[in-house]
Amino acid sequence: MIYIGLTGWGDHDLGEAGRGKLPVYGAHFPIVELDSSFYAVQPTKNYVKWNEETPSVFGFVVKAYQGMTGHLRGENPFDNEDQMFDAFKGSIRPLQEAGKLRAVLFQYPPWFECSKENVNTLKVAKARMKDIPLALEFRHQSWFVPEMRERTLAFMESEGWIHSICDEPQAGVGSVPIVLQQTHPELTIVRFHGRNVSGWNQGGADNWREVRYLYHYNKEELLEWKERLELLHSQVKDIYVIFNNNSGGHAAGNAKDLMEMLGLDYEGLAPRQLDLF
C-alpha cells in the first residue's frame, strides 16, 4: 500500500479551526512525520496524547533526536550517548505499544560523508535502537556517487535500514539524487523536500528554513512520481510518502493531488466533514 502524509500537522491549512489540530489532520491523512522529536526528546505523555488523538490505523514516522544524528551544536542535555538513546526509546514506547510507530527516521546532516568512521556510526546507531524499525536518509552526495551507490544500498539492506528516498534540489555535495531502490522488503519512505535550488544551501540566513522548503510541485512532476511509486511498489510491501515542502503551504495540496492521481482512499480514518481541496 502507498500511504501519503505531511511533515507535522501544525503548518498546514486544513480548513476552519484545522491548523495545529492533530485530530483534524488525522481525518485527511493516514501518516505523519513527527519532527518535534528532532529538536527535543519529547515527554512520554505527548506520545500518549498523540496516540489518543488519532485513528487506530494511523501511523507515525518519528524523526530521531538531533543529538543522535550529529546535528546538535549546543550543549547536550544527556550525560552520555547510552542515556540519550535510552531516553528517546523510552519516550516513543506508547506509539510502539499502540502499533502506530512505523519507523524512526535517522536523517544525517550534509557534512556526514561516506567514510569508514561514519559507516561504523551507522552500525552503532542501529545496534542501540535494537528491533525498532529505522529509516536512513543521507544528505551528503558521496554515499550515492556512481562508485559507491551499490555498496551503500547493499550495506543498508544487510543492516536492515529502510531507505528514505529524497526528492530534493541538486545543489552540490549537500544534496542527494533520487535513488529509486528499496533496501527493506516491508517499507520504503519517500520524502518530498521541494526543488528550490537557489534556496537549498542558505543555512546561514535567518529565514533559511522558510526559503529551503518553498516549492510547489506541478502536475507533470507529480505524474512522474506516480510512475516511480507504482514501480517501487512492485518491490516493497508499503511506501510512506511525506511532503516536506511546507514553507509556502503547498504540502497538503500536493499530497492530495498525488493521492487523487494514485486513486488512494484510506479506510478507517475519521469521516471527512470538509471538502477542502
Side-chain angles (χ1 to χ4, degrees):
M1 187 67 178
I2 300 174
Y3 299 90
I4 296 178
L6 315 175
T7 299
W9 56 83
D11 293 334
H12 315 287
D13 186 3
L14 297 176
E16 186 178 354
R19 188 177 296 275
K21 304 292 186 180
L22 181 55
V24 173
Y25 175 97
H28 293 271
F29 300 104
I31 56 169
V32 71
E33 180 187 305
L34 180 67
D35 60 352
S36 58
S37 54
F38 173 80
Y39 299 101
V41 174
Q42 298 296 303
T44 301
K45 65 180 181 180
N46 287 3
Y47 289 102
V48 172
K49 178 176 181 289
W50 296 329
N51 172 45
E52 293 172 347
E53 290 181 344
T54 50
S56 60
V57 296
F58 193 83
F60 291 83
V61 176
V62 180
K63 202 167 183 181
Y65 173 58
Q66 60 182 325
M68 298 159 60
T69 54
H71 287 85
L72 186 64
R73 285 294 172 263
E75 183 178 353
N76 195 321
F78 300 98
D79 293 334
N80 53 61
E81 289 201 349
D82 284 337
Q83 185 186 83
M84 177 172 60
F85 273 78
D86 287 345
F88 182 87
K89 288 187 291 184
S91 72
I92 64 175
R93 192 166 293 125
L95 294 186
Q96 285 183 281
E97 294 173 348
K100 292 184 179 182
L101 179 66
R102 300 295 183 255
V104 173
L105 173 63
F106 277 69
Q107 178 194 297
Y108 285 87
W111 55 87
F112 189 82
E113 62 184 347
C114 184
S115 67
K116 288 184 179 180
E117 179 183 1
N118 286 336
V119 167
N120 187 62
T121 296
L122 295 175
K123 290 181 177 180
V124 170
K126 191 71 171 59
R128 288 182 187 275
M129 297 298 289
K130 298 186 176 180
D131 60 347
I132 297 172
L134 302 183
L136 176 57
E137 180 172 317
F138 295 113
R139 279 281 170 86
H140 196 282
Q141 202 175 77
S142 58
W143 296 92
F144 290 124
V145 293
E147 61 270 27
M148 290 304 300
R149 181 183 186 275
E150 296 307 319
R151 293 178 64 182
T152 295
L153 294 170
F155 166 76
M156 292 172 66
E157 185 173 2
S158 66
E159 291 287 312
W161 287 97
I162 296 161
H163 190 190
S164 176
I165 299 170
C166 298
D167 183 295
E168 65 188 32
Q170 297 307 289
V173 295
S175 58
V176 295
I178 295 171
V179 179
L180 206 67
Q181 178 64 48
Q182 60 85 18
T183 58
H184 193 285
E186 297 294 319
L187 177 61
T188 297
I189 295 175
V190 178
R191 298 177 77 227
F192 286 82
H193 299 302
R195 299 179 181 180
N196 186 355
V197 178
S198 62
W200 189 250
N201 293 319
Q202 309 233 349
D206 291 339
N207 64 336
W208 70 270
R209 192 176 302 279
E210 288 76 13
V211 172
R212 170 174 279 189
Y213 301 110
L214 182 61
Y215 192 79
H216 177 264
Y217 286 91
N218 62 39
K219 181 179 180 181
E220 289 72 24
E221 290 167 336
L222 293 178
L223 284 172
E224 287 179 0
W225 265 106
K226 174 182 180 293
E227 295 180 4
R228 290 170 177 154
L229 291 170
E230 289 172 341
L231 174 63
L232 190 61
H233 196 210
S234 67
Q235 306 170 13
V236 64
K237 180 182 176 183
D238 291 324
I239 301 173
Y240 295 155
V241 178
I242 302 292
F243 280 87
N244 189 37
N245 55 327
N246 297 342
S247 300
H250 299 124
N254 277 163
K256 290 285 185 172
D257 289 341
L258 186 57
M259 286 167 59
E260 183 176 356
M261 289 177 182
L262 289 164
L264 298 175
D265 189 21
Y266 303 107
E267 296 183 4
L269 297 183
R272 296 185 180 89
Q273 298 179 354
L274 299 172
D275 185 12
L276 301 176
F277 299 95

